[in-house]
Amino acid sequence: MPRPTREQLPKPADMFDRDSEWSELTAFASDTGPEATLAVVSGRRRQGKSFLLDSLARAAGGFYFCAYEATEAESLRRFGEELGQYTGTVAPMRFDRWEQAIDALLALGAERPLPVVIDEFPYLARATPALPSIIQVAYGPRRPERLNSRTRLLLCGSSLSFMGKLPSGTSPLRGRAGLELVVHPLDFRQAAAFWGIEDHRLALLVHSVVGGTPAYRREFVRDDVPVDLADFDAWVCRTALSPRSPLYREARYLLADESDLRDRALYHSVLAALASGNGTAGRIAGCLERPISDITHPLTVLQDCGLVRRETDAFRGNRSVYRVGEPLIAFDHAISRPKLALLDRGMAEHVWETARPRFLSAVVGPHFEQVCREWVAHFAAPDTFGGMPIDVSYGTVPDRAARTSHEIDVVVRGAVGQDNGVLLSLGEAKWDQVMGTGHLERLRQAERLLADRGVDTSAVRLACYSGAGFTGDLRAAEARGEVVLVDLARLYSGE
């Protein structure tokens, strides 16, 4: 049997980046193989999923339907009207049940591969809980309607907790999807290019506030980009801290997309505790004055939503920390929410003047550490650390003699030859400090402590990451091969 061919449709000229996502979607949509297929596309709201899928449908002559919150009857009526317009029928198509509607979609692909998009699928499933099972039955292995169709059905939604479960676990659609695509925010390099910011320090400050969500530049601030570093403070006041800006309330609305969140006040409190530096389950529970059992489920759901990430200590596998995964939420809980009464009265400049030091320490500092870890994972060349980085995390090295511990911001494990899991690097990241030999000596001490515990440190390369630069002595140590130095220029354009 000849292999199915896959055509690469030309990407729209007004689509920024998203080359990988477009390639995956067009390959799925144009697959000439027999039988109808199914894809699940997810990602937080504002990432450009609808733009991608609408562009795909337009480029391939497919059908695009975007649902909204409505009853089953109203959704079926709208669906029939739009499908009738697409097929050119004289009267709107009418469906009494979703079984009929799904079969009508399968019939669209009778002649050729055809992308069919159902956007905001969770809204339909909320009104018709049996809809995933209905699609499962429609896609039965021996069902003639599926075998005689080449419809490429794409189900899309912004509720990560719902969409993540759709093709997995005990879901009726488990194993049915031929493509599972998550549309992530732009990474820090892509975000700088998208915002048109060439100053690396300014780019990271802006990324600390809005992350890599494309819509925040276009729809939310209407292309208001800080002119330079001197304009950054004023930009924050007229966007993220201004009640007139949609960005001001966006962090609070992000939780509204998740149907699994019941007690939203509790979830906001968990996020506030995280933004205040309480990274363990015990410290979060203590901050909220609740037993740990009360916050276990919220933390799990927030992870499923992509709003919180859990990181395991590289040297203490039984210890984990939680961090806010969306920059705008971290900014909101650390800076905006504690001062909402003042901000609502238009006192953004006053709030920012007092909150700026906290922004640098509680928001930018941790964000810079995460960006450094992302750089190692996605941009550093293998020879930078003497091997291919595989796992990048943080770590804690106890110093019992000094009754203290060393927090290692960037711990790199990877592959050297045939060996996997080799400890490649220990690194420290400082956003607003010029780093010197004192930082290097602290890393050397951590390396000695690990060696004393029996950890193989023979391949370790020490690294310093700084947003403010390095002393001459540390640059000299780099020249002697004693340390890897990563500044903002290297983060944004080097390897």
Side-chain angles (χ1 to χ4, degrees):
M1 178 181 295
R3 296 180 62 184
T5 59
R6 299 184 176 189
E7 178 186 355
Q8 284 296 316
L9 299 171
K11 193 179 79 169
D14 58 346
M15 182 179 292
F16 177 83
D17 202 271
R18 298 303 190 193
D19 295 334
S20 175
E21 292 88 344
W22 182 254
S23 177
E24 291 286 349
L25 289 171
T26 57
F28 173 82
S30 60
D31 189 336
T32 59
E35 306 175 3
T37 53
L38 178 70
V40 174
V41 181
S42 60
R44 291 206 305 275
R45 197 173 296 280
R46 324 292 187 196
Q47 304 308 323
K49 302 183 303 301
S50 297
F51 180 65
L52 269 168
L53 294 173
D54 183 51
S55 299
L56 176 71
R58 291 173 184 272
F63 175 61
Y64 176 88
F65 175 75
C66 184
Y68 52 68
E69 288 189 283
T71 64
E72 179 181 62
E74 183 181 357
S75 294
L76 280 168
R77 178 184 59 76
R78 279 192 58 240
F79 181 85
E81 290 174 352
E82 295 192 22
L83 185 58
Q85 292 173 4
Y86 172 77
T87 57
T89 57
V90 176
M93 302 178 73
R94 296 187 178 277
F95 302 106
D96 298 322
R97 307 188 317 274
W98 275 109
E99 288 88 343
Q100 300 167 336
I102 298 301
D103 278 348
L105 294 181
L106 291 176
L108 293 178
E111 301 297 330
R112 64 181 179 90
L114 190 77
V116 172
V117 178
I118 299 181
D119 203 354
E120 300 298 353
F121 181 73
Y123 288 154
L124 299 181
R126 197 175 302 165
T128 309
L131 189 52
S133 296
I134 291 171
I135 296 175
Q136 176 200 25
V137 172
Y139 272 69
R142 295 184 178 276
R143 195 163 183 267
E145 291 84 352
R146 173 178 177 265
L147 295 175
N148 297 324
S149 169
R150 284 185 287 176
T151 289
R152 308 307 180 211
L153 179 60
L154 299 105
L155 307 178
C156 178
S158 300
S159 174
L160 291 183
S161 57
F162 177 88
M163 297 301 294
K165 296 173 185 174
L166 202 59
S168 60
T170 58
S171 168
L173 294 180
R174 179 173 182 252
R176 301 285 186 182
L179 173 67
E180 298 176 29
L181 178 67
V182 179
V183 180
H184 295 285
L186 302 173
D187 65 49
F188 67 96
R189 286 187 173 184
Q190 294 169 327
F194 182 73
W195 281 76
I197 301 175
E198 297 181 358
D199 184 309
H200 300 146
R201 189 171 181 85
L202 178 60
L204 197 133
L205 286 171
V206 170
H207 195 260
S208 298
V209 179
V210 295
T213 298
Y216 292 163
R217 176 185 175 178
R218 296 281 162 81
E219 291 91 339
F220 280 64
V221 302
R222 302 186 305 280
D223 288 325
D224 180 355
V225 180
V227 177
D228 50 29
L229 271 173
D231 186 41
F232 176 75
D233 292 350
W235 176 82
V236 171
C237 292
R238 65 180 182 258
T239 56
L241 297 182
S242 171
R244 296 183 297 275
S245 169
L247 201 61
Y248 177 65
R249 296 175 180 83
E250 171 66 4
R252 283 155 267 174
Y253 293 155
L254 287 175
L255 291 178
D257 291 328
E258 302 298 336
S259 57
D260 287 351
L261 273 61
R262 300 292 184 257
D263 184 357
R264 297 192 189 280
L266 175 58
Y267 287 88
H268 279 295
S269 294
V270 170
L271 290 170
L274 283 169
S276 298
N278 299 287
T280 65
R283 291 183 63 183
I284 295 169
C287 180
L288 302 185
E289 298 182 358
R290 292 205 181 199
I292 290 182
S293 57
D294 281 5
I295 58 101
T296 300
H297 179 68
L299 281 172
T300 300
V301 174
L302 287 169
Q303 289 177 76
D304 292 340
C305 298
L307 300 180
V308 166
R309 64 179 182 273
R310 180 173 179 263
E311 298 178 2
T312 301
D313 192 309
F315 306 118
R316 300 165 65 184
N318 61 344
R319 183 179 186 271
S320 298
V321 298
Y322 298 89
R323 307 183 198 273
V324 179
E326 167 55 46
L328 188 62
I329 287 182
F331 178 89
D332 182 70
H333 281 275
I335 307 301
S336 304
R337 284 176 67 86
K339 302 293 184 180
L340 283 179
L342 295 177
L343 292 171
D344 286 341
R345 288 159 49 193
M347 301 179 66
E349 289 78 8
H350 171 74
V351 169
W352 183 242
E353 183 179 355
T354 58
R356 198 177 193 284
R358 176 169 172 76
F359 168 70
L360 294 175
S361 62
V363 178
V364 184
H367 186 74
F368 179 66
E369 294 171 8
Q370 178 59 25
V371 165
C372 292
R373 289 189 283 267
E374 291 177 7
W375 177 81
V376 173
H378 301 293
F379 301 108
D383 59 359
T384 298
F385 299 107
M388 177 64 70
I390 296 175
D391 179 69
V392 186
S393 60
Y394 84 102
T396 307
V397 181
D399 186 344
R400 294 183 176 85
R403 296 183 179 181
T404 187
S405 61
H406 300 276
E407 297 288 335
I408 310 300
D409 300 321
V410 186
V411 179
V412 186
R413 294 185 184 275
V416 179
Q418 299 299 312
D419 297 327
N420 291 322
V422 178
L423 183 61
L424 297 179
S425 178
L426 304 174
E428 184 164 1
K430 297 295 182 185
W431 164 248
D432 228 11
Q433 288 185 29
V434 176
M435 300 184 73
T437 54
H439 297 93
L440 177 58
E441 184 53 42
R442 203 177 76 86
L443 289 171
R444 287 171 173 160
Q445 173 64 7
E447 181 182 9
R448 287 192 290 267
L449 291 168
L450 288 171
D452 291 343
R453 289 170 47 188
V455 176
D456 183 2
T457 60
S458 58
V460 165
R461 296 187 182 182
L462 305 180
C464 290
Y465 307 78
S466 176
F470 308 99
T471 64
D473 289 343
L474 197 57
R475 287 290 186 187
E478 177 191 37
R480 295 192 298 270
E482 298 174 12
V483 64
V484 175
L485 299 185
V486 182
D487 56 13
L488 288 173
R490 190 169 185 181
L491 277 177
Y492 275 92
S493 57
E495 56 181 20

